[in-house]
Amino acid sequence: MITDPQTDVVIVGGGHNALVAASYLARAGRRVRILERLDHVGGAAVSAHAFEGIDARLSRYSYLVSLLPKRIIDDLGVRVRLARRRYSSYTPDPATGGRTGLLIGPEPTFAAVGAQSDAGPFAEFYRRARIVTTRLWPTMTAPLLTRDDAIKLVLAGGDPEAEETWQALIDRPIGQAIRDAVDSDLVRGVMATDALIGTFAQVDDPSLEQNICFLYHLLGNGTGDWDVPIGGMGAVSGALAAAAAGFGAEITTNAEVYAIDPDGEVCYELDGQPHRVHTEHILAGVTPTVLAELVGDPRPTSAPGAQVKVNLLLRRLPRLRDETVTPEQAFGGTFHINENYSQLDAAYARAATGSIPDPLPCEIYCHSLTDPSILSDELQAAGAQTITVFGLHAPHSLATGADPDRLREDLTSAVLHSLNSVLAEPIQDVLMEDASGRLCIEAKTTQDLEQILGMTAGHIFHGALNWPFVEHDDLLDTPARRWGVATAHDRIVLCGSGSRRGGAVSGLGGHNAAMAVLEG
């Protein structure tokens, strides 16, 4: 076995959080080494030429940015550019087969779906939510607050509605707050999706997992705006990797870590040769379950992922049945499909029995409308567009005993069927073909995420999300606990999405892990 020179910090996994942690620590003068299993860094925040012979760089897994603090970008001098989408969302009404729909943007069209009376309460709901989110957002890059201190912080703003809003978002199932706010089944569904993306739950689940998911979707920068990364997700990770290397961090790819000794030794294989490296601190950018396997600890219980992602390359945007809205408007924000409140509930019930929901609730993001730079000049001139479809309520349990290829085909078929239920022409008619004549469709299931990225049970957040604060009796007696990155071992801290305030493309797991190491 080859013994490498000792270093101060070894980071296992090279996702975007690892790159953030490496940058902060190397900037502070620590000797840092990243060990990444794949031949590239970035984890789920990467771009790829997904279709043979087609010059389009798609964000392969993650796709939008909301929770990445400007503070991290400024601290590290990272050249990341984000663009705001012109429209928030469009939702075709399933009751009319998509011939009418709700466009939320500069001039919302609630009346088009018979929900004009919900327009004011809808806006008021999100205004009140910002009472909580604007106060909590700055705490994400600070040591953890207790629940009591978090409540005091929100109430300190002096808003008379603060306490009731806290209870509606934090203490009671979010479904009640949504139903109290608006009457339309369609409008309720638009609101409820943020509680369910990547989380297999119902809006009235007593666990409140859906409330945590909802809060994180509204928390970014205090406003909850989800922006398009210019150049795609690969540009984000590329900029972070450049920052880490610029500060002196060493990045080693194709390095398969196979064992971790809690006393400070990491064993990995590189070019067919076993290596070991001794270090003061180990940062785990892998899931808590993968970390347990590497250390030899019992596997913790991990929530299952619950989604399918399908990337499509189109010759042009498809025609809509709703003649009052242009495709550019409908696809300019989040395009909700079969996500009415009652449809979401029915889809969960069907998925819980082991069946793929029909129709499958989906939402679409068209990156290229906001950022055409991911397409070649030729594709741009031809009017080509990329869309990402995210299917909800497709839990990892569907993969139990299933053939991976067959499951991928079945979920892809469910996605396309759901899209076609509200379009004026089949989505297949506008799909491009790759150099070999294959339709430009790429699907990623929870099985794929587990096998390719090491995301346990395909959970995009590395497991169930946690509140961004702790209970009053939780220990905050070490730097790792204060920053929400503690493990059962003193030398090992979490630095990925599985940390206390991890999840999504935020860099928070990496920032907070680095702060814990530097504080210690």
Side-chain angles (χ1 to χ4, degrees), residues 41-382:
V41 294
V46 294
S47 297
H49 286 86
F51 306 116
E52 179 188 353
I54 304 293
D55 191 4
R57 303 183 310 280
L58 279 72
S59 296
R60 178 158 259 170
Y61 304 104
S62 302
Y63 40 87
L64 293 174
V65 176
S66 174
L67 290 160
L68 178 62
K70 187 176 184 296
R71 174 176 177 176
I72 291 178
I73 295 173
D74 292 344
D75 282 352
L76 303 179
V78 179
R79 296 182 178 180
V80 171
R81 292 184 298 148
L82 303 175
R84 184 64 41 83
R85 297 178 294 172
R86 182 180 178 187
Y87 296 94
S88 176
S89 68
Y90 173 70
T91 308
D93 190 349
T96 63
R99 289 176 178 81
T100 57
L102 170 61
L103 180 67
I104 297 179
E107 297 180 359
T109 61
F110 285 87
V113 293
Q116 183 59 44
S117 62
D118 283 337
F122 180 89
E124 176 65 10
F125 178 92
Y126 288 101
R127 183 199 69 77
R128 292 183 61 181
R130 287 192 289 274
I131 296 171
V132 174
T133 59
T134 55
R135 304 292 290 185
L136 288 183
W137 173 244
T139 73
M140 300 294 279
T141 50
L144 282 164
L145 296 178
T146 64
R147 177 185 289 263
D148 291 345
D149 286 338
I151 294 173
K152 291 176 183 177
L153 178 66
V154 170
L155 296 182
D159 195 301
E161 299 168 309
E163 185 172 4
E164 171 57 29
T165 302
W166 174 279
Q167 293 172 354
L169 296 183
I170 310 295
D171 293 338
R172 299 190 295 264
I174 193 64
Q176 186 61 55
I178 292 172
R179 292 191 298 273
D180 288 346
V182 297
D183 296 322
S184 165
D185 191 51
L186 184 146
V187 178
R188 288 175 175 178
V190 171
M191 300 166 72
T193 55
D194 281 340
L196 304 175
I197 297 176
T199 298
F200 191 52
Q202 292 176 295
V203 287
D204 287 318
D205 196 304
S207 72
L208 302 184
E209 287 184 26
Q210 73 281 8
N211 286 53
I212 304 174
C213 186
F214 190 82
L215 177 64
Y216 275 82
H217 275 91
L218 269 60
L219 193 56
N221 294 295
T223 63
D225 290 316
W226 287 80
D227 295 333
V228 174
I230 300 299
M233 275 297 173
V236 176
S237 288
L240 290 171
F247 288 123
E250 180 182 356
I251 300 174
T252 305
T253 56
N254 295 304
E256 177 86 41
V257 173
Y258 60 85
I260 295 175
D261 186 325
D263 289 333
E265 181 178 270
V266 178
C267 297
Y268 67 98
E269 186 174 294
L270 179 65
D271 296 329
Q273 295 291 324
H275 290 247
R276 64 184 174 190
V277 57
H278 292 273
T279 183
E280 288 297 314
H281 300 279
I282 299 169
L283 273 58
V286 296
T287 74
T289 298
V290 171
L291 174 61
E293 292 170 347
L294 292 173
V295 175
D297 288 344
R299 284 174 59 100
T301 301
S302 182
Q307 73 290 317
V308 59
K309 182 176 186 284
V310 181
N311 292 316
L312 304 173
L313 184 61
L314 311 180
R315 292 184 289 107
R316 59 171 172 80
L317 293 175
R319 291 181 289 108
L320 306 173
R321 294 177 184 172
D322 185 350
E323 297 180 354
T324 68
V325 176
T326 68
E328 288 73 20
Q329 290 174 313
F331 288 93
T334 300
F335 192 132
H336 296 282
I337 299 174
N338 292 314
E339 289 189 325
N340 282 15
Y341 193 87
S342 57
Q343 288 178 308
L344 290 168
D345 201 46
Y348 174 88
R350 184 172 173 83
T353 68
S355 299
I356 297 174
D358 182 18
L360 184 71
C362 295
E363 40 198 68
I364 297 175
Y365 307 88
C366 181
H367 186 115
S368 51
L369 270 179
T370 302
D371 170 33
S373 73
I374 65 170
L375 301 174
S376 68
D377 291 342
E378 181 181 2
L379 288 174
Q380 290 182 44

